[in-house]
Amino acid sequence: MVNLRSKPRLLETFLESPLAGLLPWIAMAILVGPDRFEVAVCTALGLSLLFTFLGHKRGTSFKLLELFDLAYFGTLAVIGLVASDSLITWLEQWAGEMTNIALVVFAFGSILIRNPF
């Protein structure tokens, strides 16, 4: 039998964990590829918005990783809206690597400022 009182606690635990901030990056890495740039970016941005909204609604403060998620995937979404077909093709090929590099730079930067994830 499922204890319904444990579900809010499970959601709160998930939203407080770094996994909530990393899940959009994981989704992007899995989904990006030929003819899937827009889907990958929109999914990652949607997850970022959802987790940030749910966390804020539950009374938690904004986390640095959540804000970086929104900024990074929001920027990619805007670029995708105005990009030429050749740029979209390039992004489909290299967005996964760019995303990995951005996350590594963020991780090291957050460690340098003594606020990791």
mmCIF file of all heavy atoms in Angstrom, residues 39-87:
data_model
loop_
_atom_site.group_PDB
_atom_site.id
_atom_site.type_symbol
_atom_site.label_atom_id
_atom_site.label_comp_id
_atom_site.label_asym_id
_atom_site.label_seq_id
_atom_site.Cartn_x
_atom_site.Cartn_y
_atom_site.Cartn_z
ATOM 1 N N VAL A 39 13.566 19.962 -30.193
ATOM 2 C CA VAL A 39 12.908 19.095 -29.207
ATOM 3 C C VAL A 39 13.760 18.984 -27.947
ATOM 4 O O VAL A 39 13.254 19.073 -26.821
ATOM 5 C CB VAL A 39 12.634 17.692 -29.804
ATOM 6 C CG1 VAL A 39 12.174 16.713 -28.741
ATOM 7 C CG2 VAL A 39 11.624 17.783 -30.931
ATOM 8 N N ALA A 40 15.060 18.794 -28.136
ATOM 9 C CA ALA A 40 15.966 18.645 -27.000
ATOM 10 C C ALA A 40 16.007 19.919 -26.153
ATOM 11 O O ALA A 40 15.901 19.859 -24.922
ATOM 12 C CB ALA A 40 17.376 18.293 -27.491
ATOM 13 N N VAL A 41 16.120 21.068 -26.805
ATOM 14 C CA VAL A 41 16.215 22.335 -26.075
ATOM 15 C C VAL A 41 14.893 22.650 -25.376
ATOM 16 O O VAL A 41 14.884 23.062 -24.212
ATOM 17 C CB VAL A 41 16.638 23.485 -27.011
ATOM 18 C CG1 VAL A 41 16.501 24.827 -26.329
ATOM 19 C CG2 VAL A 41 18.063 23.282 -27.473
ATOM 20 N N CYS A 42 13.785 22.456 -26.076
ATOM 21 C CA CYS A 42 12.478 22.743 -25.459
ATOM 22 C C CYS A 42 12.199 21.818 -24.283
ATOM 23 O O CYS A 42 11.638 22.249 -23.267
ATOM 24 C CB CYS A 42 11.368 22.636 -26.499
ATOM 25 S SG CYS A 42 11.379 23.995 -27.683
ATOM 26 N N THR A 43 12.585 20.568 -24.387
ATOM 27 C CA THR A 43 12.412 19.631 -23.268
ATOM 28 C C THR A 43 13.256 20.064 -22.075
ATOM 29 O O THR A 43 12.771 20.108 -20.938
ATOM 30 C CB THR A 43 12.784 18.200 -23.701
ATOM 31 O OG1 THR A 43 11.946 17.811 -24.789
ATOM 32 C CG2 THR A 43 12.627 17.217 -22.553
ATOM 33 N N ALA A 44 14.527 20.381 -22.330
ATOM 34 C CA ALA A 44 15.415 20.809 -21.244
ATOM 35 C C ALA A 44 14.921 22.112 -20.605
ATOM 36 O O ALA A 44 14.905 22.238 -19.378
ATOM 37 C CB ALA A 44 16.841 20.974 -21.772
ATOM 38 N N LEU A 45 14.494 23.055 -21.429
ATOM 39 C CA LEU A 45 13.986 24.318 -20.899
ATOM 40 C C LEU A 45 12.686 24.089 -20.127
ATOM 41 O O LEU A 45 12.491 24.656 -19.049
ATOM 42 C CB LEU A 45 13.766 25.330 -22.023
ATOM 43 C CG LEU A 45 13.246 26.705 -21.605
ATOM 44 C CD1 LEU A 45 14.185 27.367 -20.602
ATOM 45 C CD2 LEU A 45 13.045 27.587 -22.833
ATOM 46 N N GLY A 46 11.818 23.251 -20.652
ATOM 47 C CA GLY A 46 10.569 22.945 -19.954
ATOM 48 C C GLY A 46 10.802 22.299 -18.602
ATOM 49 O O GLY A 46 10.162 22.657 -17.607
ATOM 50 N N LEU A 47 11.726 21.346 -18.538
ATOM 51 C CA LEU A 47 12.062 20.721 -17.253
ATOM 52 C C LEU A 47 12.658 21.742 -16.292
ATOM 53 O O LEU A 47 12.337 21.746 -15.101
ATOM 54 C CB LEU A 47 13.034 19.556 -17.462
ATOM 55 C CG LEU A 47 12.464 18.304 -18.102
ATOM 56 C CD1 LEU A 47 13.583 17.312 -18.438
ATOM 57 C CD2 LEU A 47 11.429 17.656 -17.200
ATOM 58 N N SER A 48 13.510 22.605 -16.810
ATOM 59 C CA SER A 48 14.111 23.647 -15.967
ATOM 60 C C SER A 48 13.043 24.560 -15.382
ATOM 61 O O SER A 48 13.060 24.871 -14.188
ATOM 62 C CB SER A 48 15.104 24.487 -16.781
ATOM 63 O OG SER A 48 16.140 23.699 -17.273
ATOM 64 N N LEU A 49 12.118 24.997 -16.227
ATOM 65 C CA LEU A 49 11.032 25.857 -15.758
ATOM 66 C C LEU A 49 10.156 25.138 -14.734
ATOM 67 O O LEU A 49 9.799 25.711 -13.702
ATOM 68 C CB LEU A 49 10.179 26.320 -16.943
ATOM 69 C CG LEU A 49 10.805 27.358 -17.858
ATOM 70 C CD1 LEU A 49 10.000 27.488 -19.143
ATOM 71 C CD2 LEU A 49 10.919 28.697 -17.152
ATOM 72 N N LEU A 50 9.828 23.886 -15.019
ATOM 73 C CA LEU A 50 8.974 23.116 -14.117
ATOM 74 C C LEU A 50 9.619 22.944 -12.747
ATOM 75 O O LEU A 50 8.994 23.223 -11.716
ATOM 76 C CB LEU A 50 8.665 21.744 -14.725
ATOM 77 C CG LEU A 50 7.867 20.785 -13.846
ATOM 78 C CD1 LEU A 50 6.454 21.314 -13.629
ATOM 79 C CD2 LEU A 50 7.850 19.401 -14.461
ATOM 80 N N PHE A 51 10.860 22.500 -12.719
ATOM 81 C CA PHE A 51 11.518 22.248 -11.433
ATOM 82 C C PHE A 51 11.771 23.536 -10.661
ATOM 83 O O PHE A 51 11.650 23.568 -9.439
ATOM 84 C CB PHE A 51 12.826 21.479 -11.628
ATOM 85 C CG PHE A 51 12.634 20.104 -12.214
ATOM 86 C CD1 PHE A 51 13.603 19.542 -13.015
ATOM 87 C CD2 PHE A 51 11.480 19.377 -11.974
ATOM 88 C CE1 PHE A 51 13.441 18.278 -13.555
ATOM 89 C CE2 PHE A 51 11.297 18.124 -12.515
ATOM 90 C CZ PHE A 51 12.286 17.569 -13.304
ATOM 91 N N THR A 52 12.100 24.609 -11.367
ATOM 92 C CA THR A 52 12.300 25.896 -10.693
ATOM 93 C C THR A 52 10.984 26.394 -10.111
ATOM 94 O O THR A 52 10.927 26.843 -8.964
ATOM 95 C CB THR A 52 12.894 26.930 -11.662
ATOM 96 O OG1 THR A 52 14.125 26.421 -12.170
ATOM 97 C CG2 THR A 52 13.143 28.254 -10.971
ATOM 98 N N PHE A 53 9.919 26.300 -10.897
ATOM 99 C CA PHE A 53 8.597 26.728 -10.429
ATOM 100 C C PHE A 53 8.141 25.899 -9.228
ATOM 101 O O PHE A 53 7.692 26.449 -8.213
ATOM 102 C CB PHE A 53 7.573 26.623 -11.560
ATOM 103 C CG PHE A 53 6.162 26.865 -11.121
ATOM 104 C CD1 PHE A 53 5.712 28.147 -10.860
ATOM 105 C CD2 PHE A 53 5.289 25.804 -10.952
ATOM 106 C CE1 PHE A 53 4.413 28.373 -10.446
ATOM 107 C CE2 PHE A 53 3.984 26.018 -10.533
ATOM 108 C CZ PHE A 53 3.544 27.303 -10.280
ATOM 109 N N LEU A 54 8.256 24.571 -9.321
ATOM 110 C CA LEU A 54 7.820 23.714 -8.216
ATOM 111 C C LEU A 54 8.637 23.973 -6.952
ATOM 112 O O LEU A 54 8.087 24.016 -5.849
ATOM 113 C CB LEU A 54 7.920 22.235 -8.607
ATOM 114 C CG LEU A 54 6.913 21.737 -9.630
ATOM 115 C CD1 LEU A 54 7.212 20.289 -10.007
ATOM 116 C CD2 LEU A 54 5.489 21.865 -9.110
ATOM 117 N N GLY A 55 9.930 24.131 -7.108
ATOM 118 C CA GLY A 55 10.770 24.412 -5.946
ATOM 119 C C GLY A 55 10.425 25.743 -5.309
ATOM 120 O O GLY A 55 10.311 25.845 -4.083
ATOM 121 N N HIS A 56 10.228 26.750 -6.127
ATOM 122 C CA HIS A 56 9.885 28.072 -5.592
ATOM 123 C C HIS A 56 8.501 28.052 -4.949
ATOM 124 O O HIS A 56 8.290 28.659 -3.896
ATOM 125 C CB HIS A 56 9.959 29.116 -6.698
ATOM 126 C CG HIS A 56 9.752 30.511 -6.229
ATOM 127 N ND1 HIS A 56 10.634 31.135 -5.379
ATOM 128 C CD2 HIS A 56 8.753 31.388 -6.452
ATOM 129 C CE1 HIS A 56 10.188 32.351 -5.116
ATOM 130 N NE2 HIS A 56 9.047 32.537 -5.761
ATOM 131 N N LYS A 57 7.569 27.323 -5.574
ATOM 132 C CA LYS A 57 6.213 27.227 -5.023
ATOM 133 C C LYS A 57 6.216 26.531 -3.661
ATOM 134 O O LYS A 57 5.411 26.848 -2.798
ATOM 135 C CB LYS A 57 5.308 26.485 -6.000
ATOM 136 C CG LYS A 57 3.865 26.449 -5.572
ATOM 137 C CD LYS A 57 2.995 25.858 -6.639
ATOM 138 C CE LYS A 57 1.621 25.700 -6.065
ATOM 139 N NZ LYS A 57 0.569 26.119 -6.903
ATOM 140 N N ARG A 58 7.132 25.608 -3.471
ATOM 141 C CA ARG A 58 7.229 24.893 -2.197
ATOM 142 C C ARG A 58 8.000 25.697 -1.157
ATOM 143 O O ARG A 58 8.193 25.258 -0.036
ATOM 144 C CB ARG A 58 7.872 23.528 -2.401
ATOM 145 C CG ARG A 58 7.011 22.631 -3.283
ATOM 146 C CD ARG A 58 7.505 21.236 -3.362
ATOM 147 N NE ARG A 58 7.452 20.489 -2.130
ATOM 148 C CZ ARG A 58 6.357 19.970 -1.572
ATOM 149 N NH1 ARG A 58 5.199 20.170 -2.127
ATOM 150 N NH2 ARG A 58 6.423 19.261 -0.471
ATOM 151 N N GLY A 59 8.455 26.884 -1.531
ATOM 152 C CA GLY A 59 9.093 27.763 -0.563
ATOM 153 C C GLY A 59 10.601 27.694 -0.513
ATOM 154 O O GLY A 59 11.213 28.323 0.340
ATOM 155 N N THR A 60 11.218 26.950 -1.403
ATOM 156 C CA THR A 60 12.679 26.887 -1.403
ATOM 157 C C THR A 60 13.240 28.071 -2.180
ATOM 158 O O THR A 60 12.586 28.633 -3.058
ATOM 159 C CB THR A 60 13.195 25.574 -2.031
ATOM 160 O OG1 THR A 60 12.761 25.495 -3.384
ATOM 161 C CG2 THR A 60 12.691 24.367 -1.262
ATOM 162 N N SER A 61 14.438 28.438 -1.851
ATOM 163 C CA SER A 61 15.080 29.546 -2.563
ATOM 164 C C SER A 61 15.618 29.033 -3.902
ATOM 165 O O SER A 61 15.804 27.837 -4.107
ATOM 166 C CB SER A 61 16.211 30.119 -1.719
ATOM 167 O OG SER A 61 17.186 29.137 -1.491
ATOM 168 N N PHE A 62 15.886 29.975 -4.794
ATOM 169 C CA PHE A 62 16.447 29.613 -6.083
ATOM 170 C C PHE A 62 17.868 29.107 -5.895
ATOM 171 O O PHE A 62 18.640 29.669 -5.134
ATOM 172 C CB PHE A 62 16.453 30.824 -7.022
ATOM 173 C CG PHE A 62 15.085 31.270 -7.424
ATOM 174 C CD1 PHE A 62 14.568 32.463 -6.953
ATOM 175 C CD2 PHE A 62 14.306 30.509 -8.268
ATOM 176 C CE1 PHE A 62 13.313 32.889 -7.322
ATOM 177 C CE2 PHE A 62 13.046 30.921 -8.646
ATOM 178 C CZ PHE A 62 12.546 32.115 -8.168
ATOM 179 N N LYS A 63 18.193 28.045 -6.605
ATOM 180 C CA LYS A 63 19.552 27.500 -6.560
ATOM 181 C C LYS A 63 20.316 28.003 -7.779
ATOM 182 O O LYS A 63 19.739 28.258 -8.834
ATOM 183 C CB LYS A 63 19.504 25.985 -6.547
ATOM 184 C CG LYS A 63 18.894 25.410 -5.296
ATOM 185 C CD LYS A 63 18.963 23.905 -5.350
ATOM 186 C CE LYS A 63 17.792 23.240 -4.705
ATOM 187 N NZ LYS A 63 16.517 23.458 -5.313
ATOM 188 N N LEU A 64 21.604 28.129 -7.622
ATOM 189 C CA LEU A 64 22.459 28.623 -8.694
ATOM 190 C C LEU A 64 22.337 27.756 -9.944
ATOM 191 O O LEU A 64 22.266 28.274 -11.064
ATOM 192 C CB LEU A 64 23.913 28.686 -8.205
ATOM 193 C CG LEU A 64 24.890 29.507 -8.999
ATOM 194 C CD1 LEU A 64 24.408 30.943 -9.156
ATOM 195 C CD2 LEU A 64 26.249 29.489 -8.327
ATOM 196 N N LEU A 65 22.277 26.445 -9.772
ATOM 197 C CA LEU A 65 22.175 25.541 -10.915
ATOM 198 C C LEU A 65 20.849 25.736 -11.645
ATOM 199 O O LEU A 65 20.811 25.724 -12.878
ATOM 200 C CB LEU A 65 22.331 24.085 -10.472
ATOM 201 C CG LEU A 65 22.273 23.031 -11.584
ATOM 202 C CD1 LEU A 65 23.329 23.296 -12.656
ATOM 203 C CD2 LEU A 65 22.434 21.641 -11.005
ATOM 204 N N GLU A 66 19.765 25.940 -10.920
ATOM 205 C CA GLU A 66 18.465 26.176 -11.563
ATOM 206 C C GLU A 66 18.492 27.448 -12.399
ATOM 207 O O GLU A 66 17.967 27.470 -13.520
ATOM 208 C CB GLU A 66 17.364 26.292 -10.516
ATOM 209 C CG GLU A 66 17.040 25.018 -9.794
ATOM 210 C CD GLU A 66 16.062 25.227 -8.665
ATOM 211 O OE1 GLU A 66 15.888 26.362 -8.193
ATOM 212 O OE2 GLU A 66 15.459 24.222 -8.245
ATOM 213 N N LEU A 67 19.086 28.487 -11.875
ATOM 214 C CA LEU A 67 19.177 29.741 -12.614
ATOM 215 C C LEU A 67 20.059 29.592 -13.851
ATOM 216 O O LEU A 67 19.751 30.139 -14.914
ATOM 217 C CB LEU A 67 19.685 30.859 -11.702
ATOM 218 C CG LEU A 67 18.787 31.190 -10.508
ATOM 219 C CD1 LEU A 67 19.445 32.235 -9.616
ATOM 220 C CD2 LEU A 67 17.413 31.638 -10.957
ATOM 221 N N PHE A 68 21.136 28.832 -13.715
ATOM 222 C CA PHE A 68 22.006 28.573 -14.863
ATOM 223 C C PHE A 68 21.265 27.751 -15.910
ATOM 224 O O PHE A 68 21.397 27.999 -17.113
ATOM 225 C CB PHE A 68 23.296 27.876 -14.411
ATOM 226 C CG PHE A 68 24.289 27.675 -15.524
ATOM 227 C CD1 PHE A 68 24.891 28.765 -16.130
ATOM 228 C CD2 PHE A 68 24.617 26.409 -15.952
ATOM 229 C CE1 PHE A 68 25.813 28.590 -17.157
ATOM 230 C CE2 PHE A 68 25.535 26.222 -16.972
ATOM 231 C CZ PHE A 68 26.131 27.312 -17.573
ATOM 232 N N ASP A 69 20.491 26.757 -15.467
ATOM 233 C CA ASP A 69 19.665 25.961 -16.389
ATOM 234 C C ASP A 69 18.770 26.868 -17.222
ATOM 235 O O ASP A 69 18.725 26.765 -18.451
ATOM 236 C CB ASP A 69 18.763 24.989 -15.621
ATOM 237 C CG ASP A 69 19.498 23.865 -14.934
ATOM 238 O OD1 ASP A 69 20.723 23.734 -15.123
ATOM 239 O OD2 ASP A 69 18.834 23.120 -14.190
ATOM 240 N N LEU A 70 18.049 27.754 -16.545
ATOM 241 C CA LEU A 70 17.124 28.647 -17.233
ATOM 242 C C LEU A 70 17.858 29.562 -18.211
ATOM 243 O O LEU A 70 17.405 29.761 -19.345
ATOM 244 C CB LEU A 70 16.335 29.476 -16.219
ATOM 245 C CG LEU A 70 15.350 28.704 -15.349
ATOM 246 C CD1 LEU A 70 14.779 29.611 -14.263
ATOM 247 C CD2 LEU A 70 14.245 28.089 -16.186
ATOM 248 N N ALA A 71 18.972 30.110 -17.783
ATOM 249 C CA ALA A 71 19.732 31.024 -18.647
ATOM 250 C C ALA A 71 20.292 30.288 -19.866
ATOM 251 O O ALA A 71 20.167 30.762 -21.002
ATOM 252 C CB ALA A 71 20.856 31.684 -17.859
ATOM 253 N N TYR A 72 20.891 29.130 -19.644
ATOM 254 C CA TYR A 72 21.536 28.398 -20.738
ATOM 255 C C TYR A 72 20.508 27.884 -21.744
ATOM 256 O O TYR A 72 20.626 28.134 -22.948
ATOM 257 C CB TYR A 72 22.380 27.241 -20.184
ATOM 258 C CG TYR A 72 23.112 26.498 -21.267
ATOM 259 C CD1 TYR A 72 24.278 27.021 -21.818
ATOM 260 C CD2 TYR A 72 22.645 25.287 -21.760
ATOM 261 C CE1 TYR A 72 24.956 26.353 -22.825
ATOM 262 C CE2 TYR A 72 23.313 24.617 -22.773
ATOM 263 C CZ TYR A 72 24.469 25.156 -23.296
ATOM 264 O OH TYR A 72 25.138 24.497 -24.303
ATOM 265 N N PHE A 73 19.510 27.172 -21.264
ATOM 266 C CA PHE A 73 18.538 26.590 -22.184
ATOM 267 C C PHE A 73 17.620 27.655 -22.785
ATOM 268 O O PHE A 73 17.171 27.520 -23.921
ATOM 269 C CB PHE A 73 17.743 25.476 -21.505
ATOM 270 C CG PHE A 73 18.606 24.297 -21.148
ATOM 271 C CD1 PHE A 73 18.740 23.893 -19.837
ATOM 272 C CD2 PHE A 73 19.309 23.609 -22.122
ATOM 273 C CE1 PHE A 73 19.546 22.820 -19.502
ATOM 274 C CE2 PHE A 73 20.126 22.536 -21.801
ATOM 275 C CZ PHE A 73 20.243 22.144 -20.487
ATOM 276 N N GLY A 74 17.354 28.717 -22.044
ATOM 277 C CA GLY A 74 16.604 29.837 -22.599
ATOM 278 C C GLY A 74 17.366 30.495 -23.741
ATOM 279 O O GLY A 74 16.789 30.831 -24.780
ATOM 280 N N THR A 75 18.672 30.677 -23.553
ATOM 281 C CA THR A 75 19.516 31.252 -24.611
ATOM 282 C C THR A 75 19.539 30.352 -25.836
ATOM 283 O O THR A 75 19.401 30.828 -26.969
ATOM 284 C CB THR A 75 20.944 31.486 -24.087
ATOM 285 O OG1 THR A 75 20.883 32.375 -22.968
ATOM 286 C CG2 THR A 75 21.842 32.060 -25.164
ATOM 287 N N LEU A 76 19.690 29.053 -25.629
ATOM 288 C CA LEU A 76 19.683 28.126 -26.761
ATOM 289 C C LEU A 76 18.337 28.143 -27.482
ATOM 290 O O LEU A 76 18.284 28.049 -28.712
ATOM 291 C CB LEU A 76 20.006 26.705 -26.306
ATOM 292 C CG LEU A 76 21.460 26.358 -26.055
ATOM 293 C CD1 LEU A 76 21.608 24.886 -25.678
ATOM 294 C CD2 LEU A 76 22.323 26.662 -27.260
ATOM 295 N N ALA A 77 17.248 28.258 -26.733
ATOM 296 C CA ALA A 77 15.918 28.296 -27.352
ATOM 297 C C ALA A 77 15.761 29.550 -28.213
ATOM 298 O O ALA A 77 15.248 29.473 -29.335
ATOM 299 C CB ALA A 77 14.836 28.243 -26.278
ATOM 300 N N VAL A 78 16.217 30.691 -27.721
ATOM 301 C CA VAL A 78 16.130 31.932 -28.499
ATOM 302 C C VAL A 78 17.006 31.829 -29.743
ATOM 303 O O VAL A 78 16.591 32.217 -30.848
ATOM 304 C CB VAL A 78 16.516 33.150 -27.637
ATOM 305 C CG1 VAL A 78 16.690 34.400 -28.480
ATOM 306 C CG2 VAL A 78 15.476 33.373 -26.553
ATOM 307 N N ILE A 79 18.201 31.293 -29.586
ATOM 308 C CA ILE A 79 19.088 31.113 -30.745
ATOM 309 C C ILE A 79 18.418 30.197 -31.764
ATOM 310 O O ILE A 79 18.451 30.454 -32.970
ATOM 311 C CB ILE A 79 20.459 30.554 -30.309
ATOM 312 C CG1 ILE A 79 21.244 31.630 -29.561
ATOM 313 C CG2 ILE A 79 21.261 30.056 -31.512
ATOM 314 C CD1 ILE A 79 22.505 31.124 -28.881
ATOM 315 N N GLY A 80 17.796 29.126 -31.289
ATOM 316 C CA GLY A 80 17.106 28.208 -32.185
ATOM 317 C C GLY A 80 15.956 28.851 -32.941
ATOM 318 O O GLY A 80 15.670 28.490 -34.082
ATOM 319 N N LEU A 81 15.309 29.827 -32.326
ATOM 320 C CA LEU A 81 14.190 30.514 -32.982
ATOM 321 C C LEU A 81 14.650 31.417 -34.127
ATOM 322 O O LEU A 81 13.934 31.582 -35.122
ATOM 323 C CB LEU A 81 13.408 31.355 -31.972
ATOM 324 C CG LEU A 81 12.512 30.599 -31.012
ATOM 325 C CD1 LEU A 81 11.936 31.555 -29.967
ATOM 326 C CD2 LEU A 81 11.390 29.901 -31.768
ATOM 327 N N VAL A 82 15.813 32.021 -33.986
ATOM 328 C CA VAL A 82 16.268 32.995 -34.982
ATOM 329 C C VAL A 82 17.392 32.467 -35.876
ATOM 330 O O VAL A 82 17.822 33.172 -36.779
ATOM 331 C CB VAL A 82 16.718 34.304 -34.290
ATOM 332 C CG1 VAL A 82 15.577 34.931 -33.534
ATOM 333 C CG2 VAL A 82 17.909 34.073 -33.380
ATOM 334 N N ALA A 83 17.837 31.246 -35.660
ATOM 335 C CA ALA A 83 18.994 30.717 -36.377
ATOM 336 C C ALA A 83 18.634 30.298 -37.799
ATOM 337 O O ALA A 83 17.511 29.884 -38.084
ATOM 338 C CB ALA A 83 19.564 29.516 -35.629
ATOM 339 N N SER A 84 19.625 30.378 -38.647
ATOM 340 C CA SER A 84 19.474 29.894 -40.017
ATOM 341 C C SER A 84 19.515 28.366 -40.018
ATOM 342 O O SER A 84 19.904 27.738 -39.028
ATOM 343 C CB SER A 84 20.609 30.442 -40.887
ATOM 344 O OG SER A 84 21.853 29.912 -40.446
ATOM 345 N N ASP A 85 19.137 27.785 -41.137
ATOM 346 C CA ASP A 85 19.153 26.322 -41.233
ATOM 347 C C ASP A 85 20.559 25.758 -41.055
ATOM 348 O O ASP A 85 20.738 24.711 -40.446
ATOM 349 C CB ASP A 85 18.583 25.872 -42.580
ATOM 350 C CG ASP A 85 17.083 26.092 -42.679
ATOM 351 O OD1 ASP A 85 16.435 26.219 -41.612
ATOM 352 O OD2 ASP A 85 16.569 26.138 -43.813
ATOM 353 N N SER A 86 21.552 26.464 -41.578
ATOM 354 C CA SER A 86 22.932 25.972 -41.438
ATOM 355 C C SER A 86 23.396 26.024 -39.978
ATOM 356 O O SER A 86 24.106 25.126 -39.526
ATOM 357 C CB SER A 86 23.887 26.756 -42.340
ATOM 358 O OG SER A 86 23.905 28.118 -41.982
ATOM 359 N N LEU A 87 22.984 27.051 -39.250
ATOM 360 C CA LEU A 87 23.339 27.126 -37.827
ATOM 361 C C LEU A 87 22.621 26.033 -37.036
ATOM 362 O O LEU A 87 23.221 25.419 -36.149
ATOM 363 C CB LEU A 87 23.024 28.504 -37.255
ATOM 364 C CG LEU A 87 23.362 28.699 -35.769
ATOM 365 C CD1 LEU A 87 24.830 28.396 -35.485
ATOM 366 C CD2 LEU A 87 23.000 30.098 -35.308
#
